[in-house]
Amino acid sequence: MTGAGAGAIPAAAGAGRAAGAASEGGFVVTLERYSGPLDLLLALIRREEIDIWDIPIARVADQFVQVMRALGLDEAAEYLEMAARLLRIKAQMLLPRRGDEEPWEDPRHELVRRLLEYQQIREVVDWLAAAARRRAERYARGWLPGPPRLPPAPPELDLTELMEAVERVLAMAPDPVLFRVMPRPLDVEGATRKISALLAEHERFGWRDLLGEHPTIVDILSALVSLLELARRGTLALAQSRPFTPFEVSRGPAYQTA
Amino acid sequence: MDQRTRLLEAALFAAPRPLALDELAVLDPEASEDDWRRALAELRDHYDVEGHGVELAELAGGWQILTLPLFAEAIERAAFAERPARLSAAALEVLAIVAYRQPVGRAEIEDIRGVSCGGVLRMLQERNLIEVAGRSEGLGRPLLYATTAQFLELLGLADLAALPRTDELSVALRPLAAPEPERAAAAAPAPAAPSPAPPEP
């Protein structure tokens, strides 16, 4: 296996090579050769031409530990776990068996099951790798990266189209109504003169008489301010018979015929 | 070629991925699935019989126009196209387990491999070769993984059924008489007749 990153995952810490393993005490794991303890175990079984159904567990356990040491694998938890498992099976195998009538369960059974399962996976891996190699020899039309999530492209238009669109929008818009605010000073003095003249002629009169045929807002406000001011001074009195009826203006207590 | 077959060819040429039958249906609402099947067959024959640089391949549940393997080397030498990055042995192991056991959780994968594989799972997810297919009902409700259409595309498979059946493998999960029975002949479909590879030096 030459791929540099091959199997770079199984061990927890840094990648390294067997060469540097023996020397320093650091965490150095050979990652290229075996993809895990089961892989190493299978390799041993093949190398020694061992019958998988009758594994000489003592021999395999010793060799496993030996290879682990040689490759600097002895700190990788997964390899350590497998080594421990092998040693336990080895111990179980050494225990004297009780009477023949009791069924004896081979302690190697679980290990064999896992090895076979793993070997099956390795076979599938070979098949997958071959399939991927064959597929890689056939190119699709130009490799396209996935569509990036970009905002939609700006619309294409020329200046006349743009101007026409502006025209259409303007045509649809209602005519703008513009208000110009102009200062209009109230003519309180003029209203006062008019009120005085009316009071001189009549003792009382409706306030509408103050206003001409078509009074402007300024006329009304001027008259109102003037009336209130004169009422405050007592020159005239304001009276309203009922709510919302026109009020009546009459001479007040301070009225003097000047 | 028939007008519809030419439309099919144009669509496959324009699309960046394999097109499935139901996607082809959008091209022409008047054409039935059988019409498209006929068009696909005609296009395939057209490429195969007349001798073209491309062929019609059934991939990931759809069809795609691919170049012939014959020209792969020249195309790559000229740097007109790149082969996808090859997957590591660890990645292939995880993919193999997910492909056969899906939906499958991380614990089961690690149990079979005997090594932890969080990093590989993440990488495969980033390459969109596996995806989270749900959660197990088990303790902690762990995530379950399944393969994607991208996985089929990368391996050139029409669907998951194109994977070798487990009983076609030389080591099957059942009692065997001999340690390494020679059953390679039975594992017919793939040219890569699986045989236990010797440990590489």
Side-chain angles (χ1 to χ4, degrees):
Chain A
M1 196 177 308
T2 49
I9 318 298
R17 283 166 200 255
S23 53
E24 281 131 75
F27 191 92
V28 183
V29 178
T30 299
L31 298 163
E32 291 135 55
R33 194 166 301 183
Y34 303 108
S35 65
L38 287 168
D39 195 20
L40 170 55
L41 204 53
L42 269 184
L44 278 177
I45 288 170
R46 284 200 211 98
R47 194 181 74 190
E48 304 291 315
E49 296 181 345
I50 289 168
D51 178 357
I52 200 164
W53 294 104
D54 188 19
I55 299 172
I57 209 79
R59 193 169 115 211
V60 168
D62 291 345
Q63 283 183 350
F64 187 88
V65 173
Q66 212 180 321
V67 174
M68 265 177 69
R69 294 255 161 79
L71 294 180
L73 295 170
D74 44 84
E75 283 181 63
E78 290 115 357
Y79 289 88
L80 277 180
E81 189 202 342
M82 178 58 75
R85 192 187 301 270
L86 289 174
L87 291 175
R88 202 186 67 195
I89 297 173
K90 178 179 163 185
Q92 282 171 334
M93 296 288 286
L94 291 174
L95 286 176
R97 294 172 208 174
R98 273 166 278 159
D100 284 342
E101 69 277 6
E102 271 189 48
W104 178 74
E105 200 187 330
D106 193 333
R108 297 171 298 182
H109 180 84
E110 171 62 13
L111 182 66
V112 170
R113 188 195 65 77
R114 288 190 65 190
L115 278 172
L116 285 176
E117 191 176 47
Y118 182 71
Q119 189 171 353
Q120 194 181 32
I121 292 300
R122 295 290 305 183
E123 260 185 70
V124 173
V125 164
D126 290 343
W127 191 91
L128 291 181
R133 260 200 310 280
R134 285 195 306 276
R135 170 63 184 88
E137 286 178 347
R138 303 190 294 166
Y139 295 104
R141 183 189 66 84
W143 179 79
L144 297 174
R149 278 174 205 168
L150 293 176
E156 286 175 27
L157 46 81
D158 59 23
L159 190 58
T160 40
E161 278 178 319
L162 181 64
M163 294 310 291
E164 280 168 19
V166 169
E167 292 286 318
R168 278 200 301 279
V169 171
L170 286 182
M172 279 191 306
D175 285 336
V177 181
L178 297 180
F179 295 94
R180 194 149 32 143
V181 179
M182 296 176 64
R184 291 213 214 157
L186 299 182
D187 185 15
V188 182
E189 278 178 33
T192 306
R193 273 199 302 279
K194 213 167 168 184
I195 292 166
S196 300
L198 274 170
L199 276 179
E201 279 178 41
H202 313 279
E203 200 167 318
R204 58 183 65 240
F205 57 92
W207 95 287
R208 287 222 174 120
D209 299 338
L210 252 175
L211 310 169
E213 289 260 317
H214 301 289
T216 65
I217 188 87
V218 175
D219 294 338
I220 297 170
L221 286 175
S222 303
L224 203 57
V225 171
S226 177
L227 281 171
L228 290 172
E229 174 61 21
L230 290 173
R232 192 181 64 80
R233 289 188 206 159
T235 312
L236 54 79
L238 297 171
Q240 191 175 25
S241 55
R242 284 196 318 275
F244 306 114
T245 52
F247 56 85
E248 205 178 52
V249 183
S250 58
R251 290 175 186 168
Y255 178 77
Q256 290 147 4
T257 42
Chain B
M1 282 192 292
D2 173 86
Q3 174 80 3
R4 181 169 298 120
T5 308
R6 287 170 26 205
L7 170 62
L8 170 71
E9 186 182 32
L12 292 175
F13 182 83
R17 59 190 163 75
L19 292 181
L21 270 184
D22 56 343
E23 289 175 299
L24 293 174
V26 181
L27 285 174
D28 178 1
E30 306 217 333
S32 67
E33 282 206 354
D34 279 343
D35 291 336
W36 286 119
R37 276 187 227 282
R38 268 193 295 278
L40 284 161
E42 191 185 358
L43 187 60
R44 189 199 311 254
D45 289 349
H46 173 74
Y47 287 153
D48 292 352
V49 175
E50 292 191 18
H52 282 249
V54 296
E55 63 183 348
L56 185 63
E58 190 176 355
L59 279 187
W63 282 267
Q64 194 169 29
I65 299 172
L66 298 180
T67 61
L68 292 178
L70 176 63
F71 305 118
E73 210 190 316
I75 290 171
E76 195 172 37
R77 200 162 353 101
F80 291 151
E82 264 179 60
R83 289 180 202 222
R86 276 173 61 180
L87 290 165
S88 67
L92 282 171
E93 279 185 21
V94 173
L95 268 184
I97 296 168
V98 175
Y100 278 84
R101 301 287 174 98
Q102 59 187 311
V104 61
R106 177 173 162 180
E108 193 182 339
I109 300 170
E110 294 185 342
D111 190 47
I112 294 174
R113 289 190 64 220
V115 280
S116 64
C117 56
V120 183
L121 282 173
R122 216 172 309 124
M123 183 274 285
L124 291 174
Q125 261 184 293
E126 274 165 19
R127 288 189 62 173
N128 194 23
L129 297 173
I130 60 171
E131 63 190 356
V132 173
R135 280 180 181 276
S136 158
E137 292 299 318
L139 189 66
R141 298 182 47 72
L143 296 174
L144 296 176
Y145 298 94
T147 54
T148 61
Q150 182 81 31
F151 164 79
L152 296 173
E153 224 180 302
L154 183 78
L155 296 174
L157 306 178
D159 49 40
L160 285 173
L163 289 168
R165 294 209 316 271
T166 46
D167 59 5
E168 290 171 343
L169 299 171
S170 64
V171 175
L173 276 184
R174 57 201 165 100
L176 299 172
E180 292 191 355
E182 293 300 322
R183 296 191 68 242
S195 62
E200 290 175 48

